Amino acid sequence: MRDLLALAAGLAAPCLAALALVPFRTGLSHTNAALVLVVVVVAVSSLGSRTAGAVGALSAAAWYDFFLTRPYGTFDITASADIETAVLLLAVGLIVSQLAARARRLEVFHVTDAEHLARIHRTAELAGSVLSVDTVVEHVCRELTGLLGLRACRFEYGTLLGRPPRLTEDGSVTVGRRSWDVDAVGWPDGEIELRACGNGRYLGRFMLTPAPGPAASHQARLVAVTLADQTGSALAQAGPVGQG
């Protein structure tokens, strides 16, 4: 939704900005007018995707031509200097929009990485400080629910039953012996198992029930595997658990 709104802003905001400059176009240099429109393109790009930024740059160049160059009210340009300014506006707008969109995505990745590290750190602290392994299991169930966007998560102690889809150690998903393209088609139907192992032994598994919608990112799935490994270590240190 945010990207769609940014795309709409990329179409409309440069037009409104150029229209607002119309009363001043006789006294305002074309260079300054173009700079104002570049600022608008940067604002759109910082809120949306690369596509929104590119649309904003194209819109800015078009409305600069329409409202701020002679003959006014047409998409014709007669002065060579105005043509150069329009071309530069388009080029600069495209470049700056891409840089702004990239900076926004890097910021999102940084925040996401910090959240993932916080989940791992919280689980490690809990596993080293509590006496009951059930507390660790319940905590990891909550973390997995938020991390993967699950509808439900439960833990099964003991032996493996059935062959449900499986979230593997490398963050991929398998259904039976087939690899499942979770990034392209989403989670498979039904519960998905995420095994918890400690000291090389299988000790239990989380049963994940995904919520409707796209699957979690590969990075998030790798963090989920790490949380399951931490649970397995806690189970191994606690010894046999008499639960079914």
Side-chain angles (χ1 to χ4, degrees), residues 180-205:
W180 182 272
D181 192 351
V182 64
D183 294 312
V185 299
W187 297 109
D189 294 333
E191 289 185 313
I192 300 164
E193 72 170 15
L194 172 58
R195 298 180 182 180
C197 300
N199 295 333
R201 295 185 297 114
Y202 168 78
L203 298 171
R205 61 183 179 181

Side-chain angles (χ1 to χ4, degrees), residues 28-41:
L28 183 68
S29 71
H30 288 173
T31 301
N32 289 336
L35 288 175
V36 170
L37 293 177
V38 167
V39 171
V40 174
V41 173

Side-chain angles (χ1 to χ4, degrees), residues 166-172 194-195 197 221-222 225-226 229:
R166 180 185 173 195
L167 176 57
T168 64
E169 292 78 6
D170 62 358
S172 63
L194 172 58
R195 298 180 182 180
C197 300
R221 300 196 301 270
L222 289 174
V225 171
T226 301
D229 288 342

Side-chain angles (χ1 to χ4, degrees), residues 128-187:
S129 62
V130 302
L131 298 177
S132 172
V133 72
D134 290 337
T135 303
V136 177
V137 168
E138 292 172 2
H139 166 79
V140 173
C141 276
R142 291 192 297 269
E143 292 286 357
L144 291 174
T145 298
L147 173 66
L148 301 177
L150 304 177
R151 191 169 60 207
C153 178
R154 60 187 178 87
F155 189 79
E156 290 183 350
Y157 296 88
T159 58
L160 292 166
L161 296 174
R163 297 194 60 176
R166 180 185 173 195
L167 176 57
T168 64
E169 292 78 6
D170 62 358
S172 63
V173 174
T174 59
V175 177
R177 296 184 178 180
R178 295 184 297 108
S179 177
W180 182 272
D181 192 351
V182 64
D183 294 312
V185 299
W187 297 109

Side-chain angles (χ1 to χ4, degrees), residues 96-131:
V96 173
S97 70
Q98 303 310 297
L99 292 175
R102 176 176 173 79
R104 174 176 171 262
R105 280 202 303 279
L106 288 175
E107 180 181 1
V108 170
F109 290 156
H110 173 74
V111 172
T112 302
D113 289 344
E115 291 175 352
H116 291 344
L117 289 174
R119 291 182 191 276
I120 296 171
H121 182 66
R122 285 195 300 266
T123 303
E125 282 191 332
L126 185 64
S129 62
V130 302
L131 298 177

